[in-house]
Amino acid sequence: MIGLTAAAATTMIHETALRLVAAATELSRLDAIAGDGDHGVNMAATFTVADSRITEASPETAAEVFRLVGRAFEESGSGSAGALFGAFFGAFSERLERSDGDVADYVDALDGATGRVASLGRATIGDKTMLDALRPAVDAARVACADGSPLEDVLLAASHAAAAGAEATAGMPARAGRARYAPDGAIVDRDPGAVTIALMFGAWADTVGDQPAHPVKASV
Ligand code: ADP
Ligand code: MG
């Protein structure tokens, strides 16, 4: 498969919204341990808004689908993660607009989007944030891409790495975001933003192959 159709990207975001709605209570519980308990509700609500805007707008390219997600987050005013997801999807779609559908372009887009999150949030790996799922996902995607894997396999590798990265945040003391003010008890469980990233990549890996690939290369 070369490139993502708008239909495939739409399905990926739809599935992400469904999974985050299902996980909202647990994600907010994790956020309540060290933060203010709004993460799951915010993520579920904004992905749901994005999903319905995409259905209304019927975008013609995958890049446009992701741009609508970024805009929904920018407008959501939903906490730090909202701004960071807005930056992530904004950078992701910008890079994809300049792509001819090569798998390496998706990896570059993920890498650039992750860099945007890091520079905006000024967090680094090990600070117990979404970056602890994002960075390993990008690294695994890069390795799979170098092996010549198709996009489905690249996203599957990314989703496994994101899940492992999210699990590994349990036991870390938080050094960024609201959670850094939490007492030591907050160390034992996972970072909610990292879990959201793992759920998102899982949704993408499970649905990316569901739509027929665009027959021509210029399908981003
Ligand atoms: P808020 O903390 O404003 O209530 P959310 O609860 O929606 O926002 O999101 C919290 C999540 O955002 C954290 O679990 C973490 O993954 C992520 N986060 C917070 N601050 C940063 C940061 N500076 N850099 C990267 N991620 C961050
Ligand atoms: Mg919160």
Side-chain angles (χ1 to χ4, degrees):
M1 169 176 159
I2 298 172
L4 273 183
T5 59
T10 298
T11 304
M12 287 159 65
I13 296 302
H14 180 64
E15 185 64 23
T16 306
L18 293 181
R19 291 189 191 190
L20 287 172
V21 167
T25 305
E26 171 64 2
L27 291 167
S28 285
R29 183 192 70 78
L30 287 175
D31 189 36
I33 298 171
D36 54 358
D38 63 350
H39 182 73
V41 172
N42 287 346
M43 290 293 115
T46 313
F47 268 105
T48 301
V49 166
D51 184 34
S52 48
R53 285 192 192 167
I54 291 162
T55 305
E56 274 164 36
S58 323
E60 290 183 358
T61 66
E64 270 179 68
V65 170
F66 297 127
R67 182 144 32 90
L68 287 171
V69 180
R71 214 169 286 155
F73 273 103
E74 281 160 20
E75 291 167 10
S76 70
S78 56
S80 346
L84 293 165
F85 271 77
F88 178 88
F89 277 100
F92 190 54
S93 65
E94 269 169 39
R95 177 65 186 84
L96 291 183
E97 272 161 23
R98 295 183 280 108
S99 164
D100 63 2
D102 283 341
V103 176
D105 290 339
Y106 290 92
V107 179
D108 286 346
L110 286 176
D111 204 345
T114 299
R116 190 80 68 90
V117 168
S119 61
L120 183 63
R122 295 204 196 99
T124 185
I125 194 98
D127 285 351
K128 197 181 180 107
T129 71
M130 64 176 78
L131 278 176
D132 290 309
L134 272 174
R135 186 43 70 197
V138 172
D139 292 346
R142 183 77 69 196
V143 170
C145 179
D147 287 347
S149 297
L151 185 58
E152 293 96 311
D153 294 351
V154 166
L155 288 178
L156 191 61
S159 85
H160 289 154
E167 285 303 315
T169 60
M172 287 181 186
R175 285 196 291 262
R178 215 184 279 279
R180 72 187 182 280
Y181 303 114
D184 288 353
I187 292 175
V188 294
D189 218 328
R190 296 151 298 157
D191 173 66
V195 176
T196 293
I197 293 293
L199 288 170
M200 181 180 85
F201 276 106
W204 291 10
D206 288 347
T207 54
V208 66
D210 288 356
Q211 303 289 330
H214 199 285
V216 293
K217 233 185 159 197
S219 59
V220 189

